[in-house]
């Protein structure tokens, strides 16, 4: 019973959020290595950015002197991620038009 | 025994508002984990994007629990509403029909376990760091009250320079995306 109540209290604990962030980072790195298409790697890069956001928010909520700092950082990260996604998708479309493929193995013109 | 969670005075009762909030929090964390697993594991890109949307929906809930409903709303609007849809359009425009190519190379058999161990190492290392470190709370620490006022004030006073720079970055991103996507079309 005590255990159940402690689990229900998880949202008041900073390490919960830090572990969520670490998990998202691990998934992102794993996916970046496993996915073979550019779009799949883009999706996993979003996870890495989200991990950074969660960490900023957790530190701001539990430790930092200024209450809104983590939210500001997260909003900036969101803006950067949106810009990055827009650019990346347009690059992918341009690449697909030239190569008829988005597999990273096929994009080897600069390969030594 | 080391307590599982941070001590916060009294534990909530199961049938109180705090206990219900705890259940909701577990649900959002489940959304985050399942969405991330779907996005990372699935071979088909459409499913990966669906997993991304699910994961970011759960992440909006996590932000809500971090006392910032504004960021949670922005997460839903920007990530679930815009970025996922953008990537879905990218998949529709740029995915070849026979996209699942067979793994024929020696390296691609090796990359799965290697990537899994690297990801697990990162996860274990950061989690251990998060749990073991003796985090010091800043003396004048004040948690956010959940209002937009503090965010707006900080955004337009302390961080006004970055705010303006972000708008330039977004403008450049729009123009750059248009130029890149138009090039090569006759």
């Amino acid at each position: 019973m005590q255990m159940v109540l402690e689990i229900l209290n998880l949202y008041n604990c900073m390490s919960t959020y830090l572990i969520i962030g670490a998990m998202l980072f691990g998934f992102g790195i794993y996916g970046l290595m496993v996915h073979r298409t550019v779009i799949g790697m883009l999706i996993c890069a979003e996870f890495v950015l989200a991990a950074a956001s969660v960490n900023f928010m957790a530190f701001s909520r539990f430790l930092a002197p200024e209450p809104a700092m983590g939210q500001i950082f997260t909003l900036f990260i969101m803006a950067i991620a949106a810009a990055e996604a827009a650019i990346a998708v347009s690059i992918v479309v341009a690449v697909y038009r030239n190569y008829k493929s988005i597999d990273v193995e096929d994009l080897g013109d600069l390969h030594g | 025994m080391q307590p599982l969670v941070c001590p916060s005075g009294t534990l909530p009762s199961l049938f109180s508002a705090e206990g219900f909030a705890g259940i909701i929090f577990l649900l959002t964390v489940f959304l985050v984990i399942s969405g991330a697993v779907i996005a990372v594991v699935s071979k088909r890109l459409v499913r990966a994007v669906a997993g991304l949307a699910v994961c970011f929906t759960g992440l909006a809930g996590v932000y809500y629990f971090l006392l910032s409903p504004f960021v949670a709303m922005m997460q839903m609007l920007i990530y679930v509403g815009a970025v996922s849809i953008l990537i879905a359009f990218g998949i529709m425009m740029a995915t070849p029909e026979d996209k699942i190519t067979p793994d024929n190379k020696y390296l691609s058999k090796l990359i799965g376990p290697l990537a899994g161990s690297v990801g697990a190492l990162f996860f274990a290392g950061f989690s251990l760091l998060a749990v073991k470190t003796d985090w010091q709370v800043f003396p004048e620490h004040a948690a956010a009250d959940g209002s937009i006022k503090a965010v707006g004030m900080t955004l337009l006073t302390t961080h006004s320079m970055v705010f303006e720079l972000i708008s330039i970055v977004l403008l450049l991103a729009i123009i750059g995306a248009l130029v890149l996507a138009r090039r090569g079309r006759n």
Side-chain angles (χ1 to χ4, degrees), chain B residues 80-121:
Chain B
V80 183
V83 172
S84 299
I85 303 298
L86 183 71
I87 295 175
F89 270 107
I91 290 171
M92 279 191 264
M93 282 188 286
T95 310
E97 298 299 321
D98 50 347
K99 57 189 175 305
I100 299 178
T101 49
D103 294 340
N104 47 3
K105 292 194 174 170
Y106 176 68
L107 185 66
S108 55
K109 296 230 188 320
L110 200 66
I111 200 74
L114 184 70
S117 52
V118 169
L121 266 180

Side-chain angles (χ1 to χ4, degrees), chain B residues 144-165:
Chain B
D145 54 354
S147 70
I148 311 178
K149 189 183 173 191
V151 179
M153 292 284 280
T154 318
L155 208 55
L156 290 179
T157 54
T158 318
H159 298 283
S160 53
M161 181 71 188
V162 193
F163 187 66
E164 299 298 332
L165 283 179

Side-chain angles (χ1 to χ4, degrees), chain B residues 61-85:
Chain B
V62 170
Y63 289 156
Y64 201 91
F65 275 94
L66 284 167
L67 305 182
S68 34
F70 177 66
V71 178
M73 193 181 77
M74 283 300 123
Q75 173 86 9
M76 289 299 286
L77 275 179
I78 295 175
Y79 273 122
V80 183
V83 172
S84 299
I85 303 298

Side-chain angles (χ1 to χ4, degrees), chain B residues 11-24:
Chain B
L11 287 174
S13 151
L14 188 54
F15 298 104
S16 63
E18 286 80 14
F20 190 63
I23 295 172
I24 302 281

Side-chain angles (χ1 to χ4, degrees), chain A residues 8-21:
Chain A
L8 286 185
N9 199 25
L10 273 179
Y11 68 93
N12 278 325
C13 177
M14 188 172 78
S15 46
T16 313
Y17 298 99
L18 294 185
I19 288 173
I20 291 175

Side-chain angles (χ1 to χ4, degrees), chain B residues 24-36 54-55 58 62:
Chain B
I24 302 281
F25 180 72
L26 291 184
L27 280 177
T28 61
V29 172
F30 172 73
L31 273 185
V32 171
I33 296 175
S34 55
V54 169
C55 175
V62 170

Side-chain angles (χ1 to χ4, degrees), chain A residues 66-84:
Chain A
E66 208 171 315
M69 196 63 83
Q71 305 183 38
I72 303 284
F73 261 94
T74 304
L75 289 174
F76 286 147
I77 290 174
M78 278 181 193
I80 295 291
E84 170 241 346

